[in-house]
Amino acid sequence: MLEGSILQKLEKAHRNTTRPLALGVYYKNTLVSLCHALEDHILSEDSSPLVITAFQQGKWYLQEAERYADMAQCSRQIVIMATPDTGFVEHPTSQLSNVDLVPLNPLDPVAQEWHLIILSAEYTAMVLCQELSESDYGADGRPCSDRERKFYGLWTFEPELVQETANLAIAHIQEYNPELAEKLINRQKNIHYSPVTPKHLSAVVSRVVDYLETGQNPQPLSTAPSQQALERNLVSNEIQAFLRMAQLIDMADVQNPMACAEVVALAEIMGQLLELPAWQIKRLRLAGFLHRIDPLQKAESLLTPGTSTRYQEQAPHCPLTCPLVPGAQVLRTMPRLQAIAQIITHQSEWWNGTGEPANLAGDEIPLESRILALVSDFQCRVNNIKSSPNTPQEIFTQALEACRQQQSTRFDPKLVDALALLVMGLQQGLDLPVISLKVSTGLWLLDSQWDKYQQTSTVQPH
């Protein structure tokens, strides 16, 4: 990272802390899709955000200047940093009253960064990256294709991190324009942030996924492996969008902030006790991380307004029979997450057939859905009574007994028996291997064999 850059200052502030930054490498076409999604979301929301952005050169800003003119109509203030090129100052967008330009010195490390920082009362978002150096690219040097250029950094919806980065950006702007920096400080103080809720994030997450899904460019690449690498980068970031939302849902739940991580750990142990194959445990792990994103599932497709993002679940010779009411619909836009959508959709089914959305009964319910339903209920019960004066052993016993009372009605009796073995281990000192939610990459949760397994799996949705 370049010394004195905003990314370097942010990383340094979080180094050796309990919240280190999870940085990753992003191709340019991935960042274009991300930024266009976040920028276009401004046009659809009545949130009047403060927007701070940095382009490497004025020519890149000029390619987006018309878009920024539209954004200015919906924003309280837009600040654009870049090294000035011909037309940088003269473009009509630059003359708007709520658009300010900060011409960067070409030697300024921020001139090598790509920023988009959005601060509004309803949501926050940020892309913060800088291009790899010549040495980082290795022996092959910089790629010939513009799409294959790589950037190092992060993107996030996390309010505290976005606000911290905005403060660093404003401090940097102060070196060039103290009066503008003072105005931005006052603007930021006047933003009354609402608590993070899935409702505020659902539309923007849906838009990000839609844009990444269509982020391919017909421009030819140098090699087929390059094309594959670009596609994997897009898929990784689509998954990251969901993981980031799941992370914020947990963070916003002060009563149960470790729900996803603990459910994943419990589900993995259950999978091992049941001797499930590795690919199925991996699928169960991702479903566990995403099992709380229910509000996102009601979002419409944002690329084609008025149309649903619902994927029509079809197994061979097994047509859709259940109403696809709230259930992971946005996940269905990604072919590789359709199995995850199915698991999450049917976690509310009951063993006796009285659940939702399809009134499935017994083994008709996907096995992963049954596991997820049981361990998420158990985790919630343990969390609700953990502050009681009882010992941990007594708390585990109490939560298990509550699950046993719903054995053969809500829960699979065989799974309740497996949970009893797990609880016995916990009472004897078994450590729960809680896995942190990694959002710097999404492909760690996917497997190259998934497509094949999804076609051959004996678990059917209906």
Side-chain angles (χ1 to χ4, degrees):
M1 281 177 286
L2 297 174
E3 185 71 27
S5 66
I6 294 175
L7 178 63
Q8 186 266 342
K9 290 177 180 177
L10 185 67
E11 188 278 332
K12 185 177 180 180
H14 286 260
R15 195 182 304 164
N16 301 322
T17 70
T18 57
R19 296 288 300 280
L21 298 185
L23 303 175
V25 175
Y26 305 92
Y27 285 92
K28 180 180 177 179
N29 72 323
T30 299
L31 293 180
V32 169
S33 295
L34 278 170
C35 288
H36 282 181
L38 297 174
E39 290 163 356
D40 285 357
H41 188 68
I42 293 173
L43 304 176
S44 67
E45 294 289 309
D46 185 22
S47 57
S48 298
L50 169 62
V51 180
I52 303 174
T53 184
F55 294 88
Q56 290 175 289
Q57 299 177 32
K59 67 177 182 178
W60 302 124
Y61 155 65
L62 291 176
Q63 291 182 5
E64 305 289 341
E66 295 298 329
R67 172 190 294 272
Y68 273 74
D70 294 334
M71 289 167 53
Q73 298 180 34
C74 306
S75 304
R76 67 181 66 196
Q77 185 80 32
I78 294 180
V79 178
I80 299 164
M81 295 185 281
T83 54
D85 292 325
T86 302
F88 177 68
V89 176
E90 291 79 9
H91 193 281
T93 300
S94 307
Q95 313 304 317
L96 297 175
S97 61
N98 64 336
V99 175
D100 289 278
L101 302 183
V102 179
L104 298 177
N105 185 317
L107 299 179
D108 189 331
V110 176
Q112 299 302 316
E113 295 191 300
W114 183 341
H115 302 169
L116 176 62
I117 304 168
I118 301 172
L119 297 164
S120 75
E122 286 76 23
Y123 76 101
T124 61
M126 174 179 74
V127 174
L128 179 66
C129 295
Q130 59 184 236
E131 187 166 8
L132 300 189
S133 65
E134 289 282 356
S135 59
D136 290 330
Y137 276 111
D140 294 334
R142 293 185 182 274
C144 298
S145 170
D146 190 52
R147 293 175 63 207
E148 296 178 69
R149 291 167 56 202
K150 296 178 182 178
F151 294 77
Y152 184 63
L154 76 158
W155 66 277
T156 184
F157 301 117
E158 188 177 338
E160 291 182 0
L161 196 57
V162 177
Q163 293 169 41
E164 181 182 356
T165 307
N167 291 334
L168 291 173
I170 293 171
H172 196 79
I173 291 168
Q174 189 170 29
E175 300 175 14
Y176 289 89
N177 190 334
E179 183 179 345
L180 174 59
E182 185 65 27
K183 181 167 67 172
L184 294 175
I185 291 171
N186 292 330
R187 292 278 196 191
Q188 189 176 11
K189 287 180 179 177
N190 290 329
I191 299 175
H192 303 292
Y193 297 101
S194 303
V196 174
T197 66
K199 178 182 178 182
H200 291 153
L201 287 173
S202 61
V204 67
V205 171
S206 177
R207 188 181 296 276
V208 165
V209 172
D210 276 342
Y211 278 53
L212 288 169
E213 277 286 298
T214 58
Q216 300 299 327
N217 189 311
Q219 177 185 351
L221 297 178
S222 55
T223 63
S226 296
Q227 179 64 42
Q228 185 179 44
L230 287 173
E231 290 175 354
R232 286 176 64 83
N233 200 249
L234 287 167
V235 170
S236 172
N237 281 275
E238 292 172 47
I239 299 170
Q240 284 183 55
F242 295 119
L243 291 175
R244 291 175 197 283
M245 184 170 185
Q247 181 186 48
L248 285 180
I249 291 172
D250 265 13
M251 290 173 60
D253 186 353
V254 295
Q255 302 300 322
N256 196 5
M258 293 295 293
C260 284
E262 291 178 354
V263 164
V264 168
L266 290 167
E268 282 205 86
I269 296 176
M270 286 284 285
Q272 293 165 3
L273 288 174
L274 297 169
E275 299 184 341
L276 299 184
W279 64 266
Q280 201 167 13
I281 292 178
K282 203 167 189 179
R283 190 163 70 177
L284 183 58
R285 179 189 301 151
L286 181 52
F289 277 129
L290 300 178
H291 80 282
R292 302 181 90 190
I293 67 170
D294 200 74
L296 177 61
Q297 302 152 15
K298 303 175 179 67
E300 288 186 337
S301 171
L302 294 162
L303 289 182
T304 310
T307 62
S308 173
T309 56
R310 295 178 181 181
Y311 165 75
Q312 297 298 304
E313 252 177 2
Q314 295 274 350
H317 311 296
C318 186
L320 176 69
T321 57
C322 70
L324 289 180
V325 295
Q329 308 306 350
V330 175
L331 290 176
R332 300 171 194 272
T333 63
M334 289 184 62
R336 300 189 76 180
L337 290 187
Q338 288 168 8
I340 304 303
Q342 173 186 304
I343 293 168
I344 294 173
T345 295
H346 296 293
Q347 64 177 317
S348 52
E349 306 284 0
W350 281 40
W351 181 255
N352 64 5
T354 61
E356 296 179 344
N359 301 120
L360 302 183
D363 291 332
E364 292 178 328
I365 307 169
L367 175 59
E368 297 100 324
S369 301
R370 284 179 267 153
I371 294 173
L372 195 57
L374 177 60
V375 298
S376 61
D377 183 82
F378 175 78
Q379 188 277 337
C380 184
R381 293 180 184 279
V382 170
N383 182 76
N384 289 342
I385 59 179
K386 66 182 180 182
S387 59
S388 71
N390 295 339
T391 65
Q393 290 79 5
E394 292 171 336
I395 291 173
F396 289 139
T397 298
Q398 185 177 341
L400 175 62
E401 287 305 312
C403 293
R404 273 183 170 149
Q405 291 176 12
Q406 299 182 79
Q407 184 170 320
S408 299
T409 54
R410 181 180 176 187
F411 300 127
D412 180 344
K414 299 184 297 295
L415 295 184
V416 176
D417 291 341
L419 179 62
L421 292 176
L422 192 161
V423 168
M424 187 183 301
L426 293 174
Q427 291 174 326
Q428 294 176 359
L430 173 68
D431 288 329
L432 201 60
V434 176
I435 303 174
S436 299
L437 188 63
K438 298 180 182 179
V439 293
S440 59
T441 178
L443 292 176
W444 73 289
L445 284 166
L446 288 183
D447 189 294
S448 60
Q449 300 296 314
W450 268 31
D451 292 335
K452 179 182 74 173
Y453 286 131
Q454 287 177 208
Q455 295 297 323
T456 60
S457 173
T458 58
V459 178
Q460 300 293 339
H462 309 298

